[in-house]
Amino acid sequence: MTAQIIDGKAIAQQVRAEWKLRADALKARGVTPGMAVIIVGSDPASKVYVAGKVRACAELGLYSIHVELPEDTSEAVLLAKIDELNHDPKIHGLLVQLPLPKHLNAHKVIEAINPDKDVDGFHEKNIGALVTGETPFPSCTPYGVMVMLEKTGIRVEGKHAVVVGRSNIVGKPMALLLLHKNATVTICTSKTVDLAKHTRDADILVAAVGRPNFITGDMVKPGAVVIDVGINRTADGKLCGDVDFASVKQVAGYLTPVPGGVGPMTITMLVANTVRAAERLSGLSK
Ligand code: NDP
């Protein structure tokens, strides 16, 4: 079997077009959805991610600003900036690019964001709402995976979904979103015994590990849907996922590539969450 490759770029374009219509409808009523990204320090990867977010906003005609603060910014200064943007009526979506420099407490910083503007979905209020199945802002990467599955026509209900990784931003919210769609969900971690036994039992396998080419063909059930969330660099500087594309392609039914798979969906859902935040803050949706 050769897997069907899921084209994340094409699906992201389609989804962006749908959300652009919603953004345009808001603009017609005098509300331009706006996003602010705060970046502290000069981590090159973070700068690339922030530039991608700002570009995606521009593509949909959203207003966006990015605030660059120096590496040695104090907690008080960062919190004051967040407070200012919490109260800025032009800003509907507010996020702080992670990771933060070590002297800053990421939890405290995230909790300072107005939950109604927390388009990353990291605030405890929104994580709680994710557990009950009612969050307006699902975390963007798992949300993007769900939309990708839906647009590809892959049914989740009744399937055995195995998520490898349990981070707060990918693994855990991913498992919850799959559960809400009635999958039977297994979460695997670094402490899981006989990982391959679990992955081989997956109808839908999501890899969010952060290890290059970690999931190999022999760990995959023939015909399974394999979603590669990983973004890693090989020793020679090439971008690769957590899934060994060459061997898994021979076994899986569907497979996402890296790059061009989950990545474009993540940014798309961030913009979608910002439009939804603008709709909610202007009283046009719940
Ligand atoms: P974290 O490092 O926070 O989490 C990694 C998870 O993988 C942990 O839960 C860890 O388990 C688990 N893990 C590590 N080794 C093993 C192992 N041998 N067997 C099973 N599980 C293991 O990473 P993130 O969740 O933040 O990111 C995961 C990957 O996704 C990274 O490559 C990241 O770059 C990428 N990413 C991509 C995005 C996109 O838009 N495409 C967005 C966000 C992240 P334990 O908890 O026990 O330590």
Side-chain angles (χ1 to χ4, degrees):
M1 172 175 290
T2 302
Q4 185 172 322
I5 305 305
I6 301 177
D7 185 344
K9 263 194 195 161
I11 297 173
Q13 281 307 323
Q14 184 194 342
V15 175
R16 283 182 198 196
E18 291 165 12
W19 281 93
K20 184 170 186 311
L21 294 178
R22 284 172 72 159
D24 289 347
L26 271 174
K27 283 159 88 173
R29 302 175 77 152
V31 179
T32 300
M35 179 202 285
V37 188
I38 301 176
I39 177 167
V40 185
S42 54
D43 176 53
S46 291
K47 283 195 158 190
V48 171
Y49 290 135
V50 170
K53 290 168 185 177
V54 170
R55 240 188 347 263
C57 283
E59 193 186 312
L60 272 78
L62 270 56
Y63 169 72
S64 75
I65 57 168
H66 75 283
V67 178
E68 287 192 28
L69 298 175
E71 182 88 23
D72 60 356
T73 298
S74 69
E75 188 174 277
V77 167
L78 177 56
L79 294 180
K81 192 71 207 173
I82 290 172
D83 189 54
E84 180 192 320
L85 293 165
N86 276 343
H87 291 95
D88 184 338
K90 293 197 297 301
I91 299 302
H92 307 97
L94 170 57
L95 60 117
V96 178
Q97 186 66 35
L98 301 176
L100 284 170
K102 294 239 173 336
H103 67 282
L104 295 168
N105 178 336
H107 182 255
K108 195 168 172 189
V109 167
I110 289 165
E111 291 307 299
I113 295 172
N114 176 352
D116 290 328
K117 296 190 176 186
D118 167 42
V119 285
D120 260 339
F122 294 165
H123 191 285
E124 279 179 358
K125 183 174 180 223
N126 289 320
I127 292 173
L130 176 71
V131 174
T132 57
E134 285 156 16
T135 179
F137 307 126
S139 315
C140 300
T141 300
Y143 184 17
V145 171
M146 296 308 290
V147 171
M148 209 177 201
L149 292 172
E150 188 194 320
K151 296 286 180 192
T152 310
I154 294 166
R155 277 179 62 83
V156 171
E157 184 163 321
K159 302 276 174 60
H160 182 202
V162 175
V163 180
V164 189
R166 59 168 156 186
S167 70
N168 289 335
I169 63 167
V170 189
K172 281 183 207 162
M174 184 78 253
L176 284 165
L177 291 179
L178 287 161
L179 184 64
H180 292 322
K181 289 288 177 195
N182 297 318
T184 300
V185 182
T186 300
I187 305 175
C188 298
T189 73
S190 65
K191 305 291 183 279
T192 297
V193 176
D194 197 355
L195 177 68
K197 179 174 79 111
H198 297 284
T199 59
R200 270 199 293 268
D201 196 38
D203 302 311
I204 299 172
L205 176 61
V206 181
V209 187
R211 290 182 165 215
N213 305 320
F214 180 69
I215 302 286
T216 47
D218 57 324
M219 297 167 76
V220 173
K221 184 201 242 185
V225 177
V226 180
I227 305 292
D228 190 354
V229 176
I231 301 179
N232 311 294
R233 294 241 172 232
T234 57
D236 54 0
K238 279 201 187 130
L239 212 58
C240 76
D242 289 345
V243 173
D244 179 46
F245 191 83
S247 65
V248 171
K249 196 174 76 166
Q250 306 304 321
V251 185
Y254 290 89
L255 175 60
T256 64
V258 177
V262 175
M265 294 302 295
T266 297
I267 293 189
T268 300
M269 301 335 291
L270 180 68
V271 178
N273 277 349
T274 301
V275 175
R276 191 181 290 114
E279 289 174 346
R280 295 175 82 239
L281 287 164
S282 56
L284 295 172
S285 85
K286 280 207 280 176

